[in-house]
Structure formats: C-alpha cells, structure tokens
Amino acid sequence: MNEYDSNRIYDLAAVIGFNKTDIKNEADCFVLNTCHIREKATEKVYHEIGRVKKSFKNTKKPIVIVSGCVAQAESKEMLKREPYIDMVIGPQSYHKIGDLILNYQRKKKRINETEFNVISKFDNLEKIKNLQNKVSSLLTIQEGCDKFCHFCVVPYTRGPEYSRPFKQIIEEANSLVENGAKEIILLGQNVNAYSFSENDKSYRLSSLIMELEKIKDLKRIRYTTSHPKDMTDDLINCYKNSKKLMPFLHLPIQSGSDKILKLMNRKHNKKFYFSVIEKLKNTNKTIKISSDFILGYPDETEKDFQETINLIKKVGFINSYSFIFSPRPGTPAAEKKLNNLLINKNRLQETQDILKKFQIENNQKYIQQNCEVLVENRLEGQERYFGRTKFMTPVKFESNNCSPGELVNVKITSANQNSLFGIHKNYKSKAA
Ligand code: SF4
C-alpha cells in the first residue's frame, strides 16, 4: 500500500511543479514514506534522515517530509527529536501534500498533519489522475482495520475500516488500463472486508472483481491482503465465475495453534481456516495459497509451535512470510513477556526451512512445462524479460518477439526457490 501511496504522492507533487528525480542530492524536497509494520521502523527513519542530512551538508537543505504510518504514530516526538524534519504527514492526510509544501515554502513553519480524514483523502485523490503506467498496477480500495489483532499497529496508524466508493474505484481502474495496466492488484489492509452501499445497493469485493472483469484490455485481477473471516462465499465463487481473477491467494493465518490465535485476537481458529481453504479448493482446484507466520508469540510453547509446523505441512503453502514476534508500542501484545530469543530463532529457522522446501518443490514442478506469463518488463541485455505466472511466481526468460503487457507462453527450463527460468515458445537464439 505504501507503494500506491508513494505513487499518489508523486502525482500530487507534480500538480505543484515537482518532478521525480533519481539524483538524490539534487532534490528540492525529500519525502520519506514510512511503514510501521517492520521492526525498528522509527529508528530506520532517523538513520535515513541522518543520511539525507549528510548528503546535503554542503548544499541547500531540501524540504524534508516524513509521511506514512511512522509519521502518524510518532508525529510530535519526531518533530521534537529531529529539527531537520520540516513536516510530518499521516497516511490519511497525504492528499494535502501540495498545499502543505506551498504553505511551508511561504511561512517556513514546521507542520504536523496527522488528521484521520480518509473520506476527504480519496475525494481529493479522485481529482488527480493516477499516473502509474506499470503493466501491473496497484489500486487501493479499502483502508484501515477494525479487527485489532493484539500484535498489530494498523488499526492505530491507518484508523478504522473505510471502503472507497464503488464507482470511484472503477473509474480509477479504467484510467489505469487506458494508461497501459494489464493487471490490477486491489489493495487494502483488510481488502476482503470491502463494503460500500449507495442508492440501496451494496457492493463487496466480489462485486468489484466482477465489474473489473468487464474491462476489455485488463487481463489479470488480484487482491491483497485478506482476513480469513472475510472470505465470504460470494468472494470464493469469484474463483469460478471470473476468468481474470488469478488462482492465487495470500491468506495470513499467523499461527497453527488455536491457543495462540486466541491470544492474538485473530477472531478465527484453525478449523475455520481449513474450512475456507477447502471451500476455495472445491471451487477452483488450481488455487494456491501463501500465508504469514509470527513465531515466538508470547506464551507460545513447543506444542503450539509444532501445531504451526503441522499446519504448514497440511496446507503446503507455495510461499509465505515468517517473522519472530516483535512488540509494537501501543499494542496489547507489547505488554507481554517475551519468549526466549534463542528458542524463537530456532523456531523461525525450522519454519523457514519447511516453507522453503515447499516453495522449491512447487517451483520444480514447472520444469519442462509451459506457463502463461504476463510480461512486465525487459531486463538488461537484448532478449531477456521479466514476468509473472498466474501464481505470482517471478519468471525470467529469453524471447525475441514479446513486449511488456503481453501474455506469453514460456517453457520453464530451471527453477530456484524464488524464480522460474525459461524460453518463450518461439525463441530463436542468435547463436544458433
Ligand atoms: S486483520 Fe491484519 S491489519 Fe487488521 S489488525 Fe489484524 S493483522 Fe492488523
């Protein structure tokens, strides 16, 4: 979502005459768009500001803005601790960035803009064209979360669940496709909680998918990130009814122990998670799943951990993210006693070894098979391209007759943990 927000920040800054630059120390304005999910996010911001300070030591100071969730969570403290920061802007206020920069240029007064006004944000963003021109484009449809998992900062930094108006999203999708997008990834912290009503009609994520299906030049639809509780039947049925919805779903569970899921306040148990997977597979047997795991959550015993390992073996995720629990200030889990770090590290290692084994086995199944790949870009060198399979797996392949945005048939010749390698069907090597 931060990538989507960063793109929109560029679009907004362009309105007041700013352009993107890759030459960092020539910038007039430096925006650090931050994420609070990863560990030590705040310290990383101060380190980055230190680097900016150093590279502008002998030149005119740029306007320095910290935006995103760290800015939301630490606004006052940041302005107090680091005088080099001119402005902090929360994730629900960045639509004002143009006016705020102009204001700062006039008055030179430091700004703290961390209001939660998500409706006005999207109403304002609607007026500014989304200029992303990527083959695979991101589109935020929902923000915030009401689930309050005990380890998570999102409900505090992004605020309560908010769903954008249905028509506004379809218009933005059409404009992205006109600009060259062939794949749209619908985004939300709780994307499948999307719910919008207007004129006695209610729209869910399934309504959006089926409406996007009608956009002629759009080839693929994806969405992320989902909560198991919101995998409703109408959404599951899209895996049968939509030809463009890709058969790959990221569905975080976090732990395989019901005791830990309860302590995490996840609002679902293992049985419910399995029932969702079963429904999905009964609807579309090609579907593949990935997940997230937190290891070493407070009070996790060896038995709880083994339940997580058993769950991984049972589902056979094709790739997943796994981390050791680390407390986020202000969340209920931050008050809990931490587990032994060495035990946590061993559990993480064991988990990652198993996830890796499944990932490699899954990738190797494609060797000597043909895969449909959406070409995203040309790699350095003349005849190498990058694209992704239906299951999001990266593919690097040789071709002399394809271009970004095309769906091509690639014969897979080798694989490693993260990628597939192959040759476009009609590839003719110049050496031959
Ligand atoms: S559902 Fe996701 S975003 Fe919401 S609180 Fe839980 S982990 Fe955070």
Side-chain angles (χ1 to χ4, degrees):
M1 189 171 283
N2 267 25
E3 195 181 327
Y4 175 88
D5 291 346
S6 299
N7 288 332
R8 301 303 272 143
I9 287 172
Y10 282 128
D11 295 340
L12 292 156
V15 175
I16 55 159
F18 282 78
N19 295 313
K20 247 188 228 184
T21 176
D22 289 328
I23 311 164
K24 268 195 194 169
N25 53 5
E26 284 185 4
D28 300 303
C29 178
F30 196 96
V31 184
L32 193 60
N33 194 23
T34 59
C35 171
H36 210 299
I37 296 282
R38 297 292 165 90
E39 201 179 359
K40 301 193 181 103
T42 313
E43 286 314 306
K44 283 180 193 156
V45 173
Y46 291 118
H47 286 152
E48 186 58 28
I49 298 290
R51 276 194 283 272
V52 178
K53 223 191 254 183
K54 214 165 149 193
S55 54
F56 284 90
K57 206 167 136 206
N58 301 316
T59 47
K60 187 173 166 262
K61 178 188 176 305
I63 301 172
V64 174
I65 302 173
V66 181
S67 60
C69 292
V70 179
Q72 184 72 41
E74 313 267 342
S75 56
K76 282 189 193 137
E77 175 58 25
M78 266 188 164
L79 289 172
K80 204 162 112 194
R81 176 166 158 185
E82 182 48 90
Y84 203 73
I85 299 173
D86 301 306
M87 225 182 278
V88 288
I89 305 180
Q92 307 308 11
S93 309
Y94 72 77
H95 57 290
K96 299 179 193 163
I97 198 163
D99 285 345
L100 295 173
I101 291 174
L102 295 175
N103 223 335
Y104 180 81
Q105 283 176 325
R106 271 196 308 271
K107 299 185 185 158
K108 295 279 177 283
K109 206 165 161 258
R110 298 169 87 207
I111 296 171
N112 178 351
E113 187 62 60
T114 44
E115 259 182 33
F116 264 18
N117 197 345
V118 71
I119 301 177
S120 120
K121 178 174 89 173
F122 284 112
D123 284 351
N124 276 276
L125 285 179
E126 191 190 7
K127 296 174 200 141
I128 311 288
K129 199 168 159 62
N130 185 336
L131 295 174
Q132 274 188 86
N133 57 357
K134 281 188 172 174
V135 168
S136 176
S137 288
L138 305 167
L139 172 46
T140 294
I141 65 164
Q142 178 278 342
E143 277 200 34
C145 184
D146 297 338
K147 303 272 189 308
F148 288 90
C149 299
H150 282 176
F151 53 82
C152 182
V153 284
V154 165
Y156 311 97
T157 55
R158 290 266 173 180
E161 278 173 13
Y162 166 78
S163 295
R164 290 180 67 186
F166 182 77
K167 277 192 198 130
Q168 202 182 78
I169 297 168
I170 300 300
E171 273 164 27
E172 190 169 331
N174 272 306
S175 136
L176 287 170
V177 174
E178 277 161 26
N179 236 17
K182 300 292 176 196
E183 172 177 275
I184 288 184
I185 307 178
L186 302 173
L187 300 177
Q189 270 88 31
N190 227 209
V191 71
N192 56 345
Y194 177 84
S195 172
F196 180 76
S197 300
E198 194 175 51
N199 303 332
D200 294 334
K201 275 189 100 172
S202 351
Y203 302 93
R204 303 264 315 149
L205 177 56
S206 57
S207 343
L208 272 173
I209 292 168
M210 295 319 291
E211 193 64 24
L212 291 182
E213 179 90 8
K214 297 179 194 160
I215 304 180
K216 193 170 154 272
D217 289 331
L218 182 65
K219 296 176 178 168
R220 289 180 170 183
I221 305 166
R222 303 182 189 275
Y223 61 90
T224 197
T225 293
S226 303
H227 191 285
K229 265 294 206 204
D230 294 313
M231 286 308 302
T232 47
D233 289 348
D234 56 318
L235 179 56
I236 291 176
N237 281 333
C238 288
Y239 288 95
K240 182 170 66 190
N241 300 333
S242 162
K243 289 192 175 64
K244 296 182 181 178
L245 178 63
M246 291 297 101
F248 170 68
L249 175 66
H250 184 64
L251 193 62
I253 181 162
Q254 311 296 359
S255 170
S257 151
D258 282 343
K259 180 193 100 185
I260 296 296
L261 289 173
K262 197 156 188 221
L263 288 174
M264 286 176 167
N265 194 30
R266 282 292 290 174
K267 302 183 172 69
H268 62 80
N269 58 19
K270 209 165 38 179
K271 191 172 165 214
F272 183 80
Y273 189 83
F274 284 137
S275 74
V276 171
I277 304 265
E278 199 185 326
K279 276 192 202 168
L280 284 162
K281 297 222 164 174
N282 288 340
T283 308
N284 180 338
K285 62 179 182 334
T286 66
I287 204 161
K288 296 194 191 249
I289 316 286
S290 69
S291 196
D292 292 338
F293 295 93
I294 296 175
L295 284 309
Y297 193 77
D299 287 333
E300 181 191 76
T301 60
E302 185 57 28
K303 181 176 170 285
D304 298 318
F305 170 62
Q306 286 309 327
E307 289 184 34
T308 299
I309 295 294
N310 291 339
L311 177 127
I312 293 173
K313 287 181 183 163
K314 188 165 172 183
V315 180
F317 302 97
I318 65 162
N319 65 54
S320 291
Y321 300 97
S322 48
F323 306 93
I324 292 178
F325 168 77
S326 63
R328 293 291 174 275
T331 59
E335 313 292 319
K336 304 279 181 203
K337 186 171 170 273
L338 292 177
N339 286 4
N340 178 294
L341 185 59
L342 186 62
I343 293 177
N344 289 347
K345 281 186 177 170
N346 290 338
R347 287 179 184 168
L348 179 69
Q349 189 60 54
E350 196 180 326
T351 307
Q352 293 187 334
D353 288 346
I354 289 180
L355 291 169
K356 183 177 170 184
K357 179 177 158 283
F358 279 111
Q359 199 174 353
I360 291 175
E361 275 174 15
N362 177 64
N363 285 352
Q364 282 177 341
K365 281 186 201 149
Y366 293 100
I367 296 178
Q368 297 308 319
Q369 304 284 323
N370 289 323
C371 271
E372 183 193 86
V373 172
L374 177 62
V375 186
E376 290 193 19
N377 53 280
R378 193 174 191 148
L379 296 170
E380 269 180 41
Q382 285 300 298
E383 295 177 336
R384 271 175 76 70
Y385 289 82
F386 172 87
R388 286 179 191 273
T389 65
K390 289 181 176 179
F391 307 104
M392 278 291 262
T393 310
V395 185
K396 289 173 188 163
F397 64 98
E398 317 291 326
S399 172
N400 34 31
N401 60 346
C402 77
S403 39
E406 259 185 77
L407 281 175
V408 296
N409 209 334
V410 174
K411 181 158 185 189
I412 304 303
T413 51
S414 63
N416 63 22
Q417 182 189 350
N418 297 313
S419 305
L420 304 175
F421 304 88
I423 308 169
H424 185 195
K425 214 173 155 204
N426 302 321
Y427 176 67
K428 288 187 189 73
S429 166
K430 283 189 180 146

